[in-house]
């Protein structure tokens, strides 16, 4: 279970971090190497979820979507300095519950 959580976090940071670097390059006029590095990180993001042990692509990516939402809220708070409101935290909490149900509910 810990490996799954760590892989989701690494994938999320790669997706958000890579996208952020591309954003800075295209929207904030940063040097091209920001875009190139961001693109390379986004390629790595595409590989990281395949390391999960869950057998279903759809389930892994659906669960990852919930983790991504939480990480995006935290990124906005810590990097963009946009304080999440109570509804952001409630939504993130709902996502955690949903991810937990999807990944660890008993199945036959």
């Amino acid at each position: 279970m810990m490996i799954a959580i760590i892989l989701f976090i690494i994938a999320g940071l790669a997706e958000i971090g890579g996208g952020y670097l591309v954003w800075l390059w295209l929207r904030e006029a940063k040097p091209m190497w920001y875009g190139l590095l961001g693109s390379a990180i986004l390629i790595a993001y595409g590989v990281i979820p395949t390391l999960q042990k869950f057998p279903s692509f759809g389930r892994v990516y659906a669960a990852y979507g919930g983790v991504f939402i939480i990480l995006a809220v935290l990124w906005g708070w810590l990097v963009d300095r946009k304080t999440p409101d109570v509804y952001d935290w409630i939504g993130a909490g709902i996502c955690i519950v949903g991810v937990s149900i999807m990944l660890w509910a008993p199945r036959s």
Side-chain angles (χ1 to χ4, degrees):
M1 179 164 62
M2 284 306 297
I3 291 174
I5 292 168
I6 290 168
L7 285 171
F8 280 134
I9 291 170
I10 292 169
L13 293 174
E15 183 179 12
I16 296 167
Y20 187 67
L21 288 172
V22 172
W23 173 280
L24 291 174
W25 169 51
L26 293 174
R27 301 279 302 258
E28 307 289 332
K30 296 293 183 184
M32 183 185 287
W33 68 264
Y34 275 61
L36 295 173
L37 179 59
S39 297
I41 292 169
L42 287 169
I43 290 170
Y45 149 72
V47 173
I48 294 165
T50 68
L51 304 174
Q52 291 285 7
K53 300 296 182 203
F54 300 102
S56 169
F57 174 85
R59 187 174 293 147
V60 166
Y61 271 82
Y64 165 70
V67 173
F68 174 82
I69 291 168
I70 295 156
L71 291 173
V73 168
L74 292 172
W75 184 280
W77 186 23
L78 300 172
V79 176
D80 284 336
R81 304 285 186 215
K82 304 293 182 201
T83 304
D85 63 21
V86 67
Y87 299 106
D88 295 324
W89 292 120
I90 290 170
I94 291 168
C95 288
I96 284 286
V97 170
V99 167
S100 298
I101 292 168
M102 291 174 76
L103 293 181
W104 295 298
R107 292 186 168 88
S108 54

